[in-house]
Amino acid sequence: MDEFEIETLADLELTDPVLVEGLPGVGHVGKLAAEHLLEELDGEEVRRIYSQHFPPQVSIDDGESELASAAFHAVHTEQGQDLLVLTGDHQAQDNQGHYRLTDRILDVAEEFGVERVFALGGVPTGELIEEYDVLGAATDAEFVEDLEAADVEFREDEPAGGIVGVSGLLLGLGERRDFQAACLMGETSGYLVDPKSAQAVLTVLEELVGFEVDFGSLEDRAEEMEEVVRKIQEMESNAAAGPADEDLRYIG
Amino acid sequence: MDEFEIETLADLELTDPVLVEGLPGVGHVGKLAAEHLLEELDGEEVRRIYSQHFPPQVSIDDGESELASAAFHAVHTEQGQDLLVLTGDHQAQDNQGHYRLTDRILDVAEEFGVERVFALGGVPTGELIEEYDVLGAATDAEFVEDLEAADVEFREDEPAGGIVGVSGLLLGLGERRDFQAACLMGETSGYLVDPKSAQAVLTVLEELVGFEVDFGSLEDRAEEMEEVVRKIQEMESNAAAGPADEDLRYIG
Amino acid sequence: MDEFEIETLADLELTDPVLVEGLPGVGHVGKLAAEHLLEELDGEEVRRIYSQHFPPQVSIDDGESELASAAFHAVHTEQGQDLLVLTGDHQAQDNQGHYRLTDRILDVAEEFGVERVFALGGVPTGELIEEYDVLGAATDAEFVEDLEAADVEFREDEPAGGIVGVSGLLLGLGERRDFQAACLMGETSGYLVDPKSAQAVLTVLEELVGFEVDFGSLEDRAEEMEEVVRKIQEMESNAAAGPADEDLRYIG
Amino acid sequence: MDEFEIETLADLELTDPVLVEGLPGVGHVGKLAAEHLLEELDGEEVRRIYSQHFPPQVSIDDGESELASAAFHAVHTEQGQDLLVLTGDHQAQDNQGHYRLTDRILDVAEEFGVERVFALGGVPTGELIEEYDVLGAATDAEFVEDLEAADVEFREDEPAGGIVGVSGLLLGLGERRDFQAACLMGETSGYLVDPKSAQAVLTVLEELVGFEVDFGSLEDRAEEMEEVVRKIQEMESNAAAGPADEDLRYIG
């Protein structure tokens, strides 16, 4: 296998498409969001990237192996621009690999006539979130304005340390290749898989790209997560109350 | 030395051969199994791979040095398909190296007309095993059925995290090169070298490939290991009983 | 993107220029010094280097992304030689990258007719500094003498372990390419960003290259840092005095 | 700079030379031994290797910088074979680098007509040594016999884990290139720089190659080290005796 191999699974035309990247990251926000798009708006896999920069690993599904890779799905939307959705289970494993993988991703985007790129991800706050803001960054001032118009927040010196990995390089290398690229980062605690943060990010994306998607299944998944959180909190409070119970028993 | 060098030690024809890989891994199950095959069914070394992706190291045998490498042995079986057995003391040391080494291994398999590949290994359970099940994974549904027919277990989401290293890539890259490849993973505690797990894996392989091998020496080795385990357990129980002894002494 | 890409932002002639490198390092001394030069003597950005050896990262400024890079600014000085000032937020991330990046940097220096290179940095002493000495190292005895004449200190076996990273290689590779290169290392505690150490380094550089720069803003920044140090020391002494205060309260 | 650059400093003929490698390692035994040869038998530097696989670093000597490298010195001996002595301050920093550096070293050896290679090093015992044995390993049985005749020890399964780094690869790659190569490993505690172990290794080398060297300076250095050890042991025993002293004081 070469350093990169890009498999063509289908050839089709997309109308004014945008690239939507959702590889693994903080709170799996980007991955959840991209996968939700594919569940709700039925997409067709068009390209698959294999690379020596992915981990040397196969995943197993029903006993069948699948080599580490990332996949592009084409999604036709009724209302707005079409989507080219990139999902996968892995980031590149080495410094140069991040650069080289991102360039291959942009090659595919170019091939489909993509002009705007949206990198979806999460930004960790370290505490449970009440209101899910979405932070932004983009390659140019014009795009920043568009994001602001869609209620994306821009805070000075956030995210501190910039944006690392494929999401960051889609902006950094994208700009050098004349793409307009933005990163949409949903606030998330950073401790849990966070469907609510993914929903917040998708709500912004809906407005920016002009499509509609049902959030029912994401909301269900969010409730499951909240159930988990409740249980954890109960356990903690019980543990805290423990000694008190002891006392009562002695009194009784 | 080039990145890879493949030495030809013998040229011979194999009848409908399968590749059997047993490089180091969990509980050394794969390595034990492959080496047992070579002890019992006398094989002939046909190829040796050297690589800059192996550790920069020589092993010493009777004062003589041997450069880190992996070896292919050709084994003629009386009953079934012939075997091309890959053994060695090392995995690749870097991410890309795993990919590139596995491709060279498949080159050799191709050269000998191999169509089916068996990667042997162990899967850690974290506890001592009573009954040694063998988990499986394969490149395609047809092969999965063959494995199930040979009592190989398939469990949902196992092994978690997929299969890493050469064993995993023999499936991942093998499939892309039109090999049928399977991984046979013997359950093992993960704490000890495990000849019993190796025997379980070989028993499955016997049925799948159609040969017979004597397990006497593996069983002897298994008993030695159990002796070791017993001693460890004794020491622990004595340690636990320690204080009691003290008391007795004072009483007496 | 290639392994390295050097962007030309302006083409202009420099008179007998010297390269001044100030990439991140101990106490950010070199970075502070180089950036102060650019604040005080208005320079013009002439080249920017991007590289797969920099971290896979963008920084965000007012919502706009900027790919990891290093920049060359051309500075015309009234009195002495012109300056080609290299600044940036990153070192190379891998061993070979340091060598290859440094060679690209020297390519640019060559292009502008640079003959002498000054790598600015800090040397950690482990304690707060009273008097800020500047240690030196150079590619040849003649240059060492020039530095000594400018009150640069040379101590046996210092810096222990030599000089690592781009600063070190500007000397090591520079010499092989017939540059005269020196490293000016301001003593610094190593615990804090150290504007005073940067000022000490620049004072030496002024004399060696023949220009003058105002230190007002650096001195302000130094006072801010000293304020920080004072506060830390107070907190410590209060903490130490804590129990005593308690006693007094009880007595009162 | 290329991945490797080999500088020619002198061209001269050597009579039936052997390569003697003494790069840094356990107890600096090999490095001490090789450097002692150069002090006692005046050699001439003939080649210097620079490499991107060495650390990105310069060392400083009297204020002058020297790029990380390794040097070959030609040594004419009165009695026996000439020596080509390799010394330096660094090993390669990465896996492939070890392989590629060793191949370059063997290129130089070949150029000078070397047929036998001696890699000098130490083997850690974990305790202070009374009698300094020298363990051996070689590329072939004939060479093993020669070593045994010179009182080199061969122990089963020693050194455990084989020989790593350039010393190991000089055997591993040397054999593939038809060199006869041996590693001479002086026993050493592993805790201290060990001139006595270096002397033991050189004593074996003298006999094998047929030259004579004075050990006065090494013995002086060994005594200094023993002085250090004595001081450490005193401090320990005093510390142990501490409480006793206390008691006496109270009694008095």
Side-chain angles (χ1 to χ4, degrees):
Chain A
M1 193 178 93
D2 299 335
E3 183 183 357
F4 291 96
E5 291 193 0
I6 300 182
E7 221 164 53
T8 297
L9 294 125
D11 264 324
L12 45 79
E13 294 294 307
L14 288 175
T15 311
D16 187 14
V18 298
L19 175 66
V20 177
E21 173 262 329
L23 295 180
V26 180
H28 277 225
V29 173
K31 189 164 155 43
L32 279 174
E35 287 172 348
H36 184 70
L37 284 179
L38 297 181
E39 282 163 24
E40 295 300 320
L41 317 167
D42 47 336
E44 179 180 4
E45 184 172 347
V46 288
R47 298 285 184 278
R48 186 168 284 270
I49 297 186
Y50 300 90
S51 172
Q52 293 179 2
H53 296 288
F54 284 137
Q57 188 175 341
V58 290
S59 55
I60 309 298
D61 184 10
D62 295 337
E64 290 186 49
S65 59
E66 188 172 274
L67 180 58
S69 63
F72 291 89
H73 287 73
V75 177
H76 294 286
T77 63
E78 288 160 18
Q79 314 89 337
Q81 303 176 267
D82 287 342
L83 311 177
L84 185 64
V85 180
L86 173 65
T87 57
D89 294 332
H90 309 285
Q91 292 266 349
Q93 299 298 294
D94 58 288
N95 197 78
Q96 277 187 293
H98 278 97
Y99 279 90
R100 301 168 72 79
L101 172 62
T102 304
D103 257 331
R104 296 295 77 71
I105 291 169
L106 291 171
D107 291 343
V108 174
E110 216 163 62
E111 185 189 345
F112 279 90
V114 166
E115 293 178 353
R116 277 195 162 184
V117 174
F118 292 94
L120 310 186
V123 57
T125 63
E127 53 205 18
L128 296 180
I129 311 292
E130 295 308 316
E131 198 190 311
Y132 284 83
D133 290 330
V134 175
L135 298 188
T139 46
D140 55 286
E142 177 202 356
F143 206 172
V144 169
E145 278 174 27
D146 296 352
L147 297 181
E148 276 170 332
D151 294 330
V152 174
E153 289 225 353
F154 290 85
R155 300 186 192 143
E156 227 191 1
D157 307 327
E158 282 199 39
I163 304 169
V164 179
V166 167
S167 293
L169 289 184
L170 282 172
L171 277 64
L173 298 184
E175 181 176 23
R176 293 179 58 71
R177 292 175 61 166
D178 299 321
F179 288 90
Q180 279 195 312
C183 189
L184 302 177
M185 296 161 279
E187 288 192 316
T188 178
S189 66
Y191 304 133
L192 299 159
V193 171
D194 194 338
K196 278 200 165 173
S197 184
Q199 180 170 349
V201 166
L202 284 176
T203 305
V204 168
L205 191 66
E206 279 184 324
E207 182 172 345
L208 285 163
V209 180
F211 63 88
E212 276 175 19
V213 60
D214 181 84
F215 289 121
S217 64
L218 258 188
E219 283 160 350
D220 297 345
R221 190 139 177 210
E223 273 170 27
E224 291 166 23
M225 289 307 303
E226 278 166 352
E227 190 50 43
V228 172
V229 175
R230 259 194 298 281
K231 287 216 176 80
I232 294 168
Q233 289 170 328
E234 272 174 26
M235 286 187 290
E236 284 169 343
S237 53
N238 291 345
D245 299 346
E246 295 275 306
D247 300 339
L248 286 168
R249 216 175 296 120
Y250 291 134
I251 291 168
Chain B
M1 192 178 93
D2 300 334
E3 183 183 358
F4 291 96
E5 292 193 359
I6 300 181
E7 221 163 54
T8 297
L9 294 125
D11 265 324
L12 45 79
E13 295 294 307
L14 288 174
T15 311
D16 187 14
V18 299
L19 175 67
V20 177
E21 173 263 330
L23 294 179
V26 180
H28 277 225
V29 173
K31 189 165 156 41
L32 280 174
E35 288 173 348
H36 184 70
L37 285 179
L38 297 181
E39 283 163 24
E40 295 301 321
L41 318 167
D42 48 338
E44 179 181 3
E45 184 171 347
V46 289
R47 298 285 184 279
R48 184 167 285 269
I49 297 186
Y50 300 91
S51 171
Q52 294 179 1
H53 296 289
F54 284 137
Q57 188 175 342
V58 289
S59 55
I60 309 299
D61 184 11
D62 295 337
E64 290 187 49
S65 60
E66 188 171 274
L67 181 58
S69 63
F72 291 88
H73 287 73
V75 177
H76 293 287
T77 64
E78 289 160 16
Q79 314 88 338
Q81 302 176 266
D82 286 342
L83 311 178
L84 184 66
V85 180
L86 173 65
T87 57
D89 294 332
H90 309 286
Q91 291 267 349
Q93 298 297 294
D94 58 289
N95 197 79
Q96 277 188 293
H98 279 97
Y99 279 90
R100 301 169 72 80
L101 172 62
T102 304
D103 258 331
R104 296 294 79 68
I105 291 169
L106 291 171
D107 291 343
V108 173
E110 215 163 63
E111 186 189 344
F112 280 90
V114 167
E115 293 178 354
R116 277 195 162 183
V117 174
F118 292 95
L120 311 186
V123 57
T125 63
E127 54 205 18
L128 297 179
I129 311 292
E130 295 308 315
E131 197 191 311
Y132 283 84
D133 289 330
V134 175
L135 299 188
T139 46
D140 56 285
E142 177 201 357
F143 206 171
V144 169
E145 278 173 27
D146 296 353
L147 298 180
E148 277 171 331
D151 294 330
V152 175
E153 288 225 355
F154 290 85
R155 299 185 194 146
E156 226 190 4
D157 307 326
E158 282 199 41
I163 304 169
V164 180
V166 166
S167 292
L169 290 184
L170 282 171
L171 277 64
L173 298 183
E175 181 176 23
R176 293 178 59 71
R177 293 175 60 166
D178 299 321
F179 289 89
Q180 279 194 312
C183 189
L184 302 177
M185 296 160 279
E187 289 192 313
T188 178
S189 68
Y191 305 133
L192 300 159
V193 171
D194 194 338
K196 278 200 165 174
S197 183
Q199 179 170 349
V201 166
L202 284 176
T203 306
V204 168
L205 191 65
E206 279 183 324
E207 183 173 344
L208 284 163
V209 180
F211 63 88
E212 275 175 19
V213 60
D214 180 86
F215 289 120
S217 63
L218 259 188
E219 282 159 352
D220 296 345
R221 191 141 177 208
E223 274 169 26
E224 292 166 24
M225 288 307 303
E226 278 164 353
E227 191 49 41
V228 172
V229 175
R230 260 194 299 279
K231 286 216 178 77
I232 294 170
Q233 289 170 329
E234 273 173 27
M235 285 188 291
E236 285 169 343
S237 52
N238 291 346
D245 299 346
E246 295 275 306
D247 299 340
L248 287 169
R249 215 176 296 116
Y250 291 134
I251 290 168
Chain C
M1 192 179 93
D2 300 335
E3 184 183 358
F4 292 97
E5 291 192 0
I6 300 180
E7 220 163 55
T8 296
L9 294 124
D11 265 324
L12 45 79
E13 294 294 308
L14 289 174
T15 311
D16 188 15
V18 298
L19 175 66
V20 177
E21 172 263 329
L23 294 179
V26 180
H28 277 225
V29 172
K31 188 164 158 40
L32 279 174
E35 287 173 348
H36 183 71
L37 284 179
L38 297 181
E39 283 164 24
E40 295 300 320
L41 317 167
D42 48 337
E44 179 180 3
E45 185 172 347
V46 288
R47 298 285 184 279
R48 186 167 283 270
I49 297 187
Y50 300 91
S51 171
Q52 294 178 0
H53 296 288
F54 284 137
Q57 188 175 341
V58 291
S59 55
I60 310 298
D61 184 10
D62 296 338
E64 290 187 49
S65 58
E66 188 171 272
L67 180 58
S69 63
F72 292 88
H73 286 74
V75 177
H76 294 286
T77 63
E78 289 159 16
Q79 314 89 336
Q81 302 176 267
D82 287 342
L83 311 177
L84 184 66
V85 180
L86 174 65
T87 57
D89 295 331
H90 309 284
Q91 291 266 349
Q93 299 297 295
D94 59 289
N95 198 78
Q96 277 187 294
H98 278 97
Y99 279 89
R100 301 168 72 80
L101 172 62
T102 304
D103 258 331
R104 297 293 78 70
I105 291 169
L106 290 171
D107 291 344
V108 174
E110 216 164 62
E111 185 189 346
F112 280 90
V114 166
E115 293 178 354
R116 276 195 163 183
V117 174
F118 292 94
L120 310 185
V123 57
T125 63
E127 53 205 18
L128 296 179
I129 311 292
E130 294 308 315
E131 197 191 312
Y132 283 84
D133 290 329
V134 175
L135 299 188
T139 46
D140 56 284
E142 178 202 358
F143 205 172
V144 169
E145 278 174 27
D146 297 353
L147 298 180
E148 276 171 332
D151 294 331
V152 175
E153 289 225 353
F154 291 85
R155 299 185 193 145
E156 227 191 2
D157 306 327
E158 282 198 42
I163 304 169
V164 180
V166 167
S167 292
L169 290 184
L170 282 171
L171 277 64
L173 298 183
E175 182 176 23
R176 293 179 58 72
R177 292 176 60 166
D178 298 321
F179 288 90
Q180 280 195 312
C183 189
L184 302 176
M185 296 160 279
E187 289 192 315
T188 178
S189 68
Y191 305 133
L192 301 159
V193 172
D194 195 337
K196 277 199 166 175
S197 183
Q199 179 170 349
V201 166
L202 285 175
T203 306
V204 169
L205 191 66
E206 280 184 323
E207 185 172 344
L208 285 163
V209 180
F211 63 88
E212 276 176 17
V213 61
D214 181 84
F215 290 120
S217 64
L218 257 189
E219 283 159 350
D220 297 345
R221 190 139 178 210
E223 274 170 25
E224 292 166 23
M225 288 307 302
E226 278 165 353
E227 192 49 43
V228 172
V229 176
R230 259 193 299 280
K231 286 217 177 78
I232 294 169
Q233 289 170 328
E234 274 174 26
M235 286 188 290
E236 283 169 344
S237 53
N238 291 346
D245 298 347
E246 294 275 306
D247 300 340
L248 288 168
R249 216 177 296 119
Y250 291 134
I251 290 167
Chain D
M1 193 179 92
D2 299 334
E3 184 184 357
F4 292 96
E5 292 193 359
I6 300 181
E7 221 162 55
T8 297
L9 294 124
D11 265 324
L12 45 79
E13 294 294 308
L14 288 174
T15 311
D16 188 14
V18 299
L19 175 66
V20 177
E21 173 262 329
L23 294 179
V26 180
H28 277 224
V29 173
K31 188 165 157 40
L32 279 174
E35 287 173 349
H36 184 70
L37 284 179
L38 297 181
E39 283 163 22
E40 295 300 321
L41 318 166
D42 48 339
E44 179 180 3
E45 184 172 348
V46 289
R47 298 286 185 278
R48 186 167 283 270
I49 297 186
Y50 300 91
S51 172
Q52 294 179 2
H53 296 288
F54 283 137
Q57 188 175 342
V58 290
S59 55
I60 310 298
D61 183 11
D62 295 338
E64 290 186 49
S65 59
E66 188 171 272
L67 181 58
S69 62
F72 292 87
H73 286 73
V75 177
H76 294 286
T77 64
E78 290 159 15
Q79 314 89 336
Q81 301 176 268
D82 287 342
L83 311 177
L84 184 65
V85 180
L86 173 66
T87 57
D89 294 332
H90 309 285
Q91 290 267 350
Q93 298 298 294
D94 58 288
N95 198 76
Q96 276 187 293
H98 279 96
Y99 280 90
R100 301 169 72 80
L101 173 61
T102 305
D103 258 331
R104 297 294 78 70
I105 291 169
L106 291 171
D107 291 344
V108 174
E110 215 163 64
E111 185 188 347
F112 280 89
V114 165
E115 293 178 353
R116 276 196 164 183
V117 174
F118 292 94
L120 309 186
V123 57
T125 63
E127 53 204 19
L128 296 179
I129 312 291
E130 295 307 316
E131 198 191 310
Y132 285 84
D133 290 330
V134 174
L135 299 187
T139 46
D140 56 285
E142 177 202 357
F143 206 173
V144 169
E145 278 174 26
D146 296 354
L147 297 181
E148 276 170 332
D151 294 330
V152 175
E153 288 227 352
F154 290 85
R155 300 185 192 144
E156 227 192 1
D157 307 327
E158 282 198 42
I163 304 169
V164 180
V166 168
S167 293
L169 290 185
L170 282 172
L171 277 63
L173 298 184
E175 182 177 22
R176 294 179 57 71
R177 292 176 60 166
D178 298 322
F179 288 89
Q180 279 195 311
C183 189
L184 302 177
M185 297 160 279
E187 288 192 315
T188 179
S189 68
Y191 305 133
L192 300 159
V193 172
D194 195 337
K196 277 199 165 174
S197 183
Q199 180 170 348
V201 166
L202 284 176
T203 306
V204 168
L205 191 65
E206 279 183 323
E207 184 172 344
L208 285 162
V209 180
F211 63 88
E212 275 176 20
V213 61
D214 180 84
F215 289 121
S217 65
L218 259 188
E219 283 159 351
D220 297 345
R221 191 140 177 209
E223 273 170 26
E224 292 166 23
M225 288 307 302
E226 278 166 351
E227 191 49 43
V228 172
V229 175
R230 258 193 300 280
K231 287 217 178 78
I232 293 169
Q233 289 169 329
E234 273 173 27
M235 286 188 290
E236 284 169 343
S237 52
N238 291 345
D245 299 345
E246 294 275 308
D247 301 340
L248 287 169
R249 216 177 296 120
Y250 291 135
I251 290 168

